[in-house]
Amino acid sequence: MGNSGSAVKVCTDHQGGINWLSLSPDGQRLLTGSEDGTARLWSTADSQCHGHFQGHESYITFCHLENEAAFTCSADHTIRKWDVMTGQCLAIYRGHTSIVNRILVAKDYLFSGSYDRTARCWSVDKEKQIQEFRGHRNCVLTLAHYSSRDVLEEEEEEEEEEQKVSRDLLVTGSTDCTVKVWWVSSGRCYQTLLGHTGAVLCLILDAPNRELFSGSTDYTIRTWNIVTGEQLKVFKEHQGSVICLELVNRHLYSGSADRTVKCWLVDTGERIQTYKAHKHSVSTLKYHAGILFTGSGDACARAFNSKSGVLQKIFRGHKFIINCIQIHNELLYTASHDGTLRIWDIRGICKRNKRRLKKERSAQGRSSQKGSLSRLFNNKVGCMVQQENGEHEAVELM
């Protein structure tokens, strides 16, 4: 029976909307960045606020949390690094001339994208700018990073060693409708990926498969070969801007202003599922253990069976758009423009889903043992299994 979940805790410490939520790699802490110009550090063990980072002169647009340091960027044109234990500001990175809307930490590098039409690379420890990436004709909205060693074949790698070319590359998406790939060491543009006719809002990188996915206000998702720059596929079924992307096991999930999420098979480009029920744009999404969690402009989070598309639970309580979600230890964290961080218990839905997956694997195992039977018989068995699973997962919504 369908449920409307209740939050186990509501954190109301911020005095303005929460724009981003980041989880530390060790899962021990969460970081929220807010319109009130501050960031707050939360323990996942007790859900209490254990740090309050103050210093920015305008609202925080984005934040990133490492195990020992926190990073925030702001409309005050700066980026700050904070000590998570003491709350002390360890560094201020200055150089951008407009709002900094995105940051990315990779190895010893800190990357940033801004409305000043540039991306920049900073030394995390030395508080200085290493490189500036200039070439976009409008603001830089989204970033991705990879090393050439992740995408080159062994022979190409040896050739690269001989040429002593830097291994690190930065990918930027812009409102000028382009994606650019840059060599970090020189700041030189390696590729400009042309094809979108609207702003590029989101990027997902699959370096081992040499693929980049970009979502745009032109309603499409495009797949690119990041070595050659070739456009591989265009996913065209959305009827609104593509706002967010998630890649899991060669399945691509896309959230859109058309109020849906779609699931695509990356290898074929086929759309295999559409997740409906949202009453506004899908602003954020996260896949977890066979469940697709979404946050929407309708102030609700939702949980869908990722395979069947059945809506399993609605999480109500926020008053404005949910900007970001995180999942840890079977707790769902939702951060909203209403200024609250809400924490939801998802143990029940995860437990039911694990039982379903176990049944599916068992059914698949029995089916594979009958491989010597005719194709017709196997097809009939598959249909019976699908019907059985479909009945088990049916949810009556409130």
Side-chain angles (χ1 to χ4, degrees):
M1 329 279 54
N3 311 251
S4 180
S6 297
V8 297
K9 182 167 178 127
V10 182
C11 307
T12 60
D13 303 53
H14 279 296
Q15 302 303 305
I18 299 174
N19 289 326
W20 202 257
L21 172 66
S22 180
L23 178 69
S24 63
D26 61 14
Q28 293 183 17
R29 300 178 181 89
L30 287 156
L31 180 69
T32 50
S34 170
E35 291 279 321
D36 65 15
T38 74
R40 287 183 179 268
L41 193 69
W42 312 82
S43 167
T44 54
D46 59 14
S47 303
Q48 297 296 316
C49 180
H50 289 272
H52 189 204
F53 305 148
Q54 303 177 78
H56 280 295
E57 296 173 7
S58 188
Y59 61 90
I60 292 175
T61 56
F62 190 85
C63 60
H64 175 83
L65 184 59
E66 294 289 321
N67 291 335
E68 297 178 357
F71 298 85
T72 55
C73 60
S74 168
D76 68 8
H77 308 178
T78 71
I79 306 146
R80 287 177 180 250
K81 177 185 176 183
W82 312 83
D83 187 309
V84 298
M85 300 305 294
T86 66
Q88 177 186 359
C89 181
L90 301 175
I92 304 176
Y93 307 88
R94 305 180 191 273
H96 282 295
T97 57
S98 189
I99 297 169
V100 184
N101 55 63
R102 191 56 56 100
I103 51 176
L104 184 157
V105 178
K107 298 186 280 191
D108 298 325
Y109 296 132
L110 168 65
F111 298 98
S112 56
S114 169
Y115 276 80
D116 66 10
R117 306 182 183 185
T118 72
R120 297 175 193 236
C121 176
W122 316 78
S123 167
V124 168
D125 297 325
K126 295 180 182 177
E127 200 175 342
K128 76 172 187 179
Q129 182 177 306
I130 297 173
Q131 196 56 259
E132 180 177 323
F133 309 94
R134 189 175 289 274
H136 279 297
R137 299 188 308 279
N138 217 322
C139 54
V140 178
L141 293 180
T142 183
L143 306 170
H145 166 271
Y146 68 98
S147 169
S148 59
R149 79 173 65 196
D150 298 331
V151 301
L152 295 181
E153 301 292 345
E154 192 173 334
E155 311 80 51
E156 296 173 303
E157 198 172 325
E158 288 174 5
E159 183 180 334
E160 186 194 54
E161 283 286 356
E162 290 171 11
Q163 295 174 357
K164 298 183 178 178
V165 176
S166 166
R167 293 182 177 279
D168 292 285
L169 295 107
L170 176 70
V171 186
T172 55
S174 168
T175 53
D176 68 7
C177 310
T178 71
V179 176
K180 288 181 179 286
V181 184
W182 314 79
W183 289 110
V184 171
S185 62
S186 65
R188 181 174 61 85
C189 182
Y190 168 64
Q191 298 274 7
T192 297
L193 310 182
L194 301 172
H196 281 298
T197 57
V200 178
L201 302 182
C202 48
L203 296 171
I204 287 282
L205 188 62
D206 182 7
N209 287 296
R210 300 181 167 202
E211 290 178 338
L212 175 74
F213 303 88
S214 55
S216 169
T217 58
D218 66 10
Y219 303 0
T220 72
I221 306 148
R222 293 170 192 258
T223 314
W224 314 84
N225 181 305
I226 52 178
V227 175
T228 66
E230 176 190 2
Q231 182 176 285
L232 303 175
K233 293 185 186 73
V234 182
F235 305 86
K236 287 183 172 178
E237 291 189 31
H238 276 299
Q239 301 302 308
S241 298
V242 178
I243 297 169
C244 48
L245 295 171
E246 177 99 329
L247 181 65
V248 182
N249 298 327
R250 303 298 286 168
H251 288 66
L252 181 68
Y253 299 89
S254 55
S256 170
D258 67 8
R259 306 183 181 187
T260 73
V261 175
K262 293 184 185 293
C263 178
W264 316 79
L265 291 179
V266 169
D267 295 326
T268 65
E270 178 189 1
R271 191 264 304 155
I272 59 170
Q273 193 55 263
T274 298
Y275 310 86
K276 301 178 181 179
H278 308 94
K279 296 180 174 66
H280 206 283
S281 300
V282 178
S283 46
T284 182
L285 53 84
K286 186 77 69 176
Y287 175 95
H288 176 74
I291 306 168
L292 183 68
F293 293 89
T294 65
S296 171
D298 64 15
C300 292
R302 291 174 172 81
F304 295 87
N305 178 316
S306 64
K307 186 172 182 180
S308 69
V310 171
L311 176 61
Q312 296 183 310
K313 197 160 189 172
I314 304 173
F315 304 89
R316 293 188 176 96
H318 283 296
K319 292 181 172 57
F320 296 112
I321 183 173
I322 296 173
N323 288 321
C324 197
I325 58 180
Q326 292 288 349
I327 297 165
H328 179 67
N329 278 351
E330 298 192 339
L331 289 173
L332 172 68
Y333 298 86
T334 57
S336 166
H337 207 70
D338 65 11
T340 68
L341 171 66
R342 291 176 183 256
I343 305 166
W344 317 79
D345 188 341
I346 57 173
R347 283 176 297 181
I349 189 173
C350 289
K351 190 174 181 180
R352 289 193 299 274
N353 202 59
K354 283 176 184 174
R355 285 201 301 265
R356 177 184 65 81
L357 291 172
K358 189 175 181 180
K359 282 184 179 181
E360 284 184 0
R361 281 195 290 267
S362 176
Q364 287 169 359
R366 290 196 300 271
S367 179
S368 65
Q369 290 172 5
K370 301 175 182 181
S372 60
L373 300 178
S374 71
R375 181 181 299 274
L376 177 61
F377 182 80
N378 279 335
N379 285 342
K380 288 181 178 178
V381 171
C383 289
M384 290 167 61
V385 171
Q386 286 177 6
Q387 289 171 359
E388 186 179 7
N389 286 341
E391 289 168 7
H392 178 72
E393 286 301 327
V395 175
E396 182 181 336
L397 296 176
M398 295 180 69

